[in-house]
Amino acid sequence: MDSILVRGGGELNGVIPIAGAKNACLTLMPATLLTEEPLTLTNAPRLSDIRTMTQLLQSLGAEVSALQGGKVLAMSSHDIHNHTADYDIVRKMRASILVLGPMLARDGHAVVSLPGGCAIGARPVDLHLKALEAMGADLDLRDGYVHAKAPGGRLKGAVVEFPIVSVGATENALLAATLAKGTTVLKNAAREPEIVDLAQCLRRMGAQIEGEGTSTITIQGVDRLGGGTHPVVTDRIELGTYMLAPAICGGEVECLGGRLDLVGAFAEKLDEAGVSVTETERGLKVARKNGRVKAVNVTTEPFPGFPTDLQAQMMALLCTADGTSVLEEKIFENRFMHAPELIRMGAKVDVHGGHATVTGVEKLRGAPVMATDLRASVSLILAGLAAEGETVVSRVYHLDRGYEHVEDKLGACGAKIERIKG
Ligand code: EPZ
């Protein structure tokens, strides 16, 4: 298994291009199942999760070709001959559940494995299933699989009110509703940029959708959808991660393709901590030039609040801030697993339930560390860049799920970082 070696201590200066969003691409790809015509995604990120979704779609009979080194995904689902998403793929990646809504909407039946456990929290899929049931689906849970049928072969429009905001459940319901008979209203829907991107792509394909980006989305079902070409929105979590690199190490980095509207609440916290963020013609420039950052309190919330997917990286910053910060994690119940690893690097972090109290230290020290999820791994790399000495981050396969060419992107800004093949 590969690991990443980081030698910390230096400032970072330079330019980092931000890729298309993993989490947008993972919901855009299943949209191919809604149409017999070709759907092409441009600005796709080159990540192992995207390859897993490719394998899943191919196992169902879709044709998926990665062109231009993987930046373009050309998909066609004219012949879907298998309607079962197998456990072997679904267990690798929870986003696999997103094929359920489209398959059911197009062909009236689908069988999808239940995803099972996850390191950051229980992450059930009950809200996905309830939304589809409200749209008329008959669901039967057997042998670890959801067996779904639409009576008469077609889902019907419904009013679906989500009890809590769920990105994935909103996406599954939105995908399914495009081909349902009649009108669907999704209330308390997620407002994440990935939902807006999905709605825009579906509209290009002929779907009738209004209200994406607000908490009420209205979909008028149509009889068929066509193909199209759609650029994947910028990855706001990769953007936020690289914005933190100069914040932690000092220096100035311009993130190409960065947009303030994608990271509003996060950028406000950086500003409060004393890190400057400015819009440029090409993206966002982030600089920390004067001494330590200040402690700030952070609460994770659904968009437009502070994203849970940047909490671990923000904690890495606050470990060397002047003062005490409290981080509250409100989305996932077990998302502080980076804390014990940061403590091994000399951080002072006290986790109590959904809160972590971080008392900043002058310097972190390098150490061998390991991570149990994607965002935790990158937070340890950021901490390693700011630490004295060497940090080796193991279990890098988590990192490769969501960050393309980390070593190259940070290395181009002066970071001493290399991958050790193992
Ligand atoms: C998406 O996961 C992202 N994944 C996650 O990114 C992200 O952390 C999360 O949204 C929150 O922003 C993808 O887009 C592929 P949710 P998702 O449904 O859709 C509970 C990363 O690092 N819930 O919004 O699975 C759930 O347990 C990843 O890139 C139910 O109770 O998240 C959680 O507490 C990790 N029942 C809350 O809702 C359900 O049926 C929000 O989860 C669904 C969710």
Side-chain angles (χ1 to χ4, degrees):
M1 258 186 277
D2 292 2
S3 47
I4 298 268
L5 167 68
V6 181
R7 290 189 186 88
E11 276 197 354
L12 296 185
N13 287 288
V15 169
I16 298 183
I18 305 301
K22 166 183 81 89
N23 289 345
C25 202
L26 289 176
T27 187
L28 290 163
M29 291 175 76
T32 182
L33 298 171
L34 292 166
T35 175
E36 295 187 354
E37 291 180 23
L39 176 64
T40 300
L41 299 176
T42 59
N43 197 35
R46 285 150 302 176
L47 301 169
S48 62
D49 270 9
I50 302 303
R51 289 190 286 277
T52 304
M53 182 59 87
T54 298
Q55 279 166 15
L56 172 56
L57 293 173
Q58 286 171 339
S59 75
L60 303 174
E63 288 166 19
V64 184
S65 310
L67 310 175
Q68 296 180 25
K71 279 199 101 166
V72 173
L73 297 171
M75 303 178 289
S76 172
S77 301
H78 54 85
D79 177 27
I80 296 304
H81 52 71
N82 170 31
H83 289 79
T84 301
D86 207 70
Y87 176 64
D88 278 345
I89 297 186
V90 179
R91 73 184 164 85
K92 282 195 219 158
M93 191 182 68
R94 306 180 59 81
S96 306
I97 192 80
L98 294 172
V99 300
L100 177 59
M103 272 200 292
L104 190 55
R106 168 171 156 167
D107 291 331
H109 61 107
V111 179
V112 177
S113 167
L114 286 165
C118 176
I120 60 175
R123 302 185 74 185
V125 291
D126 56 319
L127 302 178
H128 299 237
L129 304 185
K130 280 193 183 123
L132 296 171
E133 263 179 334
M135 293 164 74
D138 284 334
L139 303 180
D140 186 13
L141 305 189
R142 262 187 282 136
D143 314 322
Y145 282 76
V146 185
H147 297 252
K149 280 208 169 74
R154 191 167 180 194
L155 293 171
K156 55 182 195 314
V159 176
V160 178
E161 179 147 14
F162 296 105
I164 57 168
V165 175
S166 162
V167 176
T170 302
E171 290 166 348
N172 231 336
L174 175 56
L175 285 157
T178 56
L179 289 179
K181 191 170 170 53
T183 307
T184 299
V185 182
L186 305 179
K187 295 186 174 177
N188 199 24
R191 292 183 279 165
E192 269 66 4
E194 293 75 24
I195 307 274
V196 174
D197 203 37
L198 174 62
Q200 284 170 353
C201 174
L202 292 169
R203 208 180 284 119
R204 282 177 209 267
M205 295 164 67
Q208 293 188 17
I209 302 169
E210 277 174 22
E212 74 274 13
T214 76
S215 43
T216 304
I217 306 177
T218 306
I219 307 109
Q220 185 68 51
V222 295
D223 290 339
R224 61 174 298 279
L225 290 173
T229 298
H230 178 81
V232 180
V233 68
T234 298
D235 194 319
R236 65 196 166 97
I237 306 302
E238 192 198 25
L239 170 63
T241 302
Y242 289 125
M243 287 169 75
L244 279 165
I248 292 183
C249 299
E252 184 175 277
V253 169
E254 188 179 11
C255 295
L256 301 184
R259 281 171 25 202
L260 214 42
D261 61 311
L262 296 175
V263 286
F266 167 72
E268 276 172 28
K269 285 293 165 188
L270 284 188
D271 181 59
E272 210 182 310
V275 177
S276 92
V277 179
T278 44
E279 289 182 276
T280 66
E281 277 181 9
R282 311 189 290 178
L284 294 178
K285 194 175 271 184
V286 182
R288 196 202 91 209
K289 291 192 168 139
N290 309 316
R292 287 168 78 182
V293 297
K294 294 193 280 282
V296 292
N297 296 331
V298 170
T299 301
T300 64
E301 278 165 324
F303 194 85
F306 190 101
T308 173
D309 291 347
L310 284 172
Q311 179 260 108
Q313 302 91 310
M314 190 71 181
M315 185 186 285
L317 173 72
L318 297 176
C319 284
T320 53
D322 186 9
T324 299
S325 312
V326 177
L327 291 128
E328 186 183 5
E329 173 56 59
K330 292 218 299 203
I331 308 294
F332 294 113
E333 62 275 23
N334 192 27
R335 212 175 194 184
F336 284 132
M337 284 158 313
H338 38 287
E341 301 300 307
L342 290 168
I343 291 169
R344 301 191 67 250
M345 298 176 71
K348 289 191 179 157
V349 186
D350 181 22
V351 174
H352 35 103
H355 295 77
T357 304
V358 182
T359 304
V361 295
E362 291 258 353
K363 268 279 167 210
L364 294 173
R365 293 181 308 273
V369 286
M370 74 164 73
T372 38
D373 79 90
L374 162 62
R375 309 302 170 188
S377 350
V378 83
S379 80
L380 297 172
I381 291 181
L382 291 175
L385 289 172
E388 269 168 6
E390 283 189 3
T391 297
V392 177
V393 184
S394 53
R395 297 204 178 161
V396 173
Y397 57 89
H398 288 299
L399 188 76
D400 295 334
R401 293 184 64 170
Y403 292 91
E404 57 172 45
H405 309 305
V406 182
E407 313 91 283
D408 299 342
K409 288 188 180 186
L410 288 169
C413 296
K416 296 191 181 74
I417 176 168
E418 62 187 271
R419 182 176 291 250
I420 304 167
K421 291 273 175 201

